[in-house]
Amino acid sequence: MSEKKRKRAIEDDGRLSKNLARGGSASEQSVRFSIVSDSGDWAPAIAVAPGLDLPTNVPLQAFQKPCTNTVSSSTSTGRVPLSESELLLHCSAHPKLDYTAREESSSGANDLLRHYVGVYDPATRDIQIVPTRKMIVRGTLRSTVVPEIRDEYSEDERAPQSRFAARTLLGEAFGTKKSQKAIRALTENAIAPQNSSGKSVLDPLASAVIDSMSHASGPAATRAELQAAIDGAKPRPKPNLEAETPAEVYKIEDLIGASSLQALKVRDWQSAVEANKDVQTSSKYVSRRLVKVVSSKNIMRLKALRYVLLLLDWFSCLKPGMKSMKKLPQRDDITKAVGGEITGSLLESLGRRFAPDGNMNKWAIDNFMTHVCALTLTIDLYEVDISDIRDDLKLETKQIVQYFQEIGCRVANPTETEQKKMKLTTKAESSSHKIAKLRLPLEFPKMRTIVPKKRR
């Protein structure tokens, strides 16, 4: 027969609790709770004003009465409990609106819902849970404004208007189609009435609406502010608009990042070029500039060229997704595509920068393309033949031209001097090449202006 198992006694391991470890005793840091019964005494109210911009200094007058559908059960003090009384808050301090707060009755699952407020006393460290009311504040237009407006007119001024209004009503009810059309035209083109001082007098509703619009609406944004907002949201690297030379507009440190720039290794390329060895890459742009950049002894430009090759290899291994999106493949596939000598920190920085959620939408792809274009500017000293990078990115000429224009470049056909330098002998060869130049002041695509059509 099996014996009944007993629970093991909890052993004290000698460790102090969090509160005691911080230096304070348990009695000093404890808080006492108490619930105040619904005795009909003073109780706070929670006021909610949906759809209203209620000022904080509005004085509210309180009115209370017993509920009509409950049996009175007054306390010994003669006060009615919260559940058996109705509270109404009213304010008429606003010149045109009245604010009224009521308790809206709930039904269904919220019929038994009650609200409470905790009142904390730091001196005694006590918290009292007090029953409260939830009030809904509504705003209504005051009907007493109409007599005030009418008092501004004399009897002689009101009489013709009353006769004209009577004739208008008769015309609308029994007049011909032509007379009714004329009355509607008068109503549409009517001028607001004016008092003796020459001011236009509006009806109370229109006056209240106009007052609220004047407080809510601010000055309209200028065209320059709209253009600045559009430029800030575009998918491109942030240019230095205060630059004095093209080299200060896009810096390699900002385009690559300090940590990624330090992780890039270019010693193998330098050794291969110095030994007159052929370096094979997957990029036409990188292969045609490798020897020239290594010979310049500029390590920053060489690291930028290595980073461009990493970007092109990383982008080529992305898989197509839904709605022209691209998604990242498995980590092993990326490492195989970019080469084993690339560290994992570089690959993680690329994913965080251009595909933070593992996918690249249209905005992220455009952001990637403009960063590549900006890097080619720093490598080619701000004059780029866009044909090589266009072929590497597998884009049309119109697309790559637009990307260079978005970062402030001026794109044009090569001049005769540039054609001789590039060894372009025929017009067919020169037509497939375009030169992107970064010059100051920068020229960005402007916001289009829609010209309204002329009415005939």
Side-chain angles (χ1 to χ4, degrees), residues 149-150 152-153 192-196 198-203 207:
I149 296 177
R150 290 179 179 176
E152 298 181 3
Y153 295 96
Q194 296 182 349
N195 54 16
S196 57
K199 284 188 174 182
S200 297
V201 180
L202 300 176
D203 60 275
S207 180

Side-chain angles (χ1 to χ4, degrees), residues 269-289:
W269 279 4
Q270 290 177 317
S271 302
V273 172
E274 290 173 357
N276 293 326
K277 294 182 180 179
D278 188 16
V279 180
Q280 299 291 334
T281 65
S282 59
S283 168
K284 183 192 296 185
Y285 176 85
V286 175
S287 298
R288 289 186 176 181
R289 290 159 177 79

Side-chain angles (χ1 to χ4, degrees), residues 52-340:
L52 287 178
D53 187 10
L54 188 66
T56 56
N57 57 350
V58 172
L60 295 172
Q61 294 180 345
F63 302 92
Q64 187 178 10
K65 69 173 183 177
C67 295
T68 56
N69 55 354
T70 57
V71 180
S72 177
S73 58
S74 300
T75 60
S76 59
T77 58
R79 296 185 176 91
V80 182
L82 269 66
S83 59
E84 300 179 5
S85 62
E86 294 182 4
L87 180 65
L88 184 140
L89 304 177
H90 182 74
C91 173
S92 58
H94 195 274
K96 298 181 179 64
L97 298 177
D98 286 342
Y99 296 107
T100 305
R102 299 176 183 271
E103 295 182 78
E104 295 190 354
S105 59
S106 57
S107 58
N110 297 328
D111 191 16
L112 302 178
L113 181 63
R114 299 292 181 267
H115 298 274
Y116 295 88
V117 171
V119 181
Y120 176 66
D121 187 359
T124 60
R125 305 185 64 83
D126 292 343
I127 294 180
Q128 291 184 342
I129 308 300
V130 182
T132 184
R133 304 174 186 266
K134 183 179 179 182
M135 315 290 291
I136 307 297
V137 183
R138 307 290 183 187
T140 56
L141 186 66
R142 189 176 307 138
S143 60
T144 57
V145 182
V146 178
E148 296 177 1
I149 296 177
R150 290 179 179 176
D151 291 342
E152 298 181 3
Y153 295 96
S154 62
E155 293 294 334
D156 297 335
E157 290 176 342
R158 290 202 301 264
Q161 294 180 0
S162 302
R163 289 195 295 270
F164 179 76
R167 289 179 58 188
T168 303
L169 292 175
L170 287 174
E172 290 178 351
F174 304 103
T176 60
K177 291 183 178 180
K178 187 175 181 180
S179 62
Q180 291 178 356
K181 184 177 180 181
I183 292 172
R184 286 195 298 269
L186 287 174
T187 305
E188 293 173 357
N189 301 321
I191 300 176
Q194 296 182 349
N195 54 16
S196 57
S197 61
K199 284 188 174 182
S200 297
V201 180
L202 300 176
D203 60 275
L205 180 59
S207 180
V209 170
I210 290 176
D211 288 345
S212 62
M213 288 174 60
S214 63
H215 292 295
S217 61
T222 61
R223 184 178 180 84
E225 293 174 347
L226 291 175
Q227 185 66 45
I230 293 174
D231 292 341
K234 283 188 175 181
R236 65 186 181 195
K238 187 177 181 180
N240 180 15
L241 301 179
E242 299 179 356
E244 297 180 357
T245 61
E248 297 176 357
V249 179
Y250 299 107
K251 295 183 178 180
I252 297 178
E253 298 88 346
D254 299 332
L255 295 174
I256 299 178
S259 59
S260 299
L261 195 63
Q262 187 176 3
L264 287 169
K265 307 300 180 183
V266 294
R267 184 59 189 169
D268 54 341
W269 279 4
Q270 290 177 317
S271 302
V273 172
E274 290 173 357
N276 293 326
K277 294 182 180 179
D278 188 16
V279 180
Q280 299 291 334
T281 65
S282 59
S283 168
K284 183 192 296 185
Y285 176 85
V286 175
S287 298
R288 289 186 176 181
R289 290 159 177 79
L290 179 58
V291 177
K292 182 178 179 180
V293 175
V294 171
S295 302
S296 67
K297 305 297 183 180
N298 192 324
I299 302 299
M300 296 294 289
R301 289 176 61 196
L302 187 58
K303 286 192 173 185
L305 190 66
R306 189 62 180 262
Y307 193 71
V308 168
L309 179 63
L310 173 62
L311 289 177
L312 295 175
D313 291 339
W314 180 82
F315 187 76
S316 64
C317 70
L318 299 182
K319 295 182 179 180
M322 298 178 61
K323 296 181 180 180
S324 302
M325 297 178 62
K326 290 184 177 294
K327 59 181 179 180
L328 290 177
Q330 298 295 329
R331 177 69 177 271
D332 297 338
D333 297 337
I334 300 177
T335 305
K336 183 178 179 180
V338 301

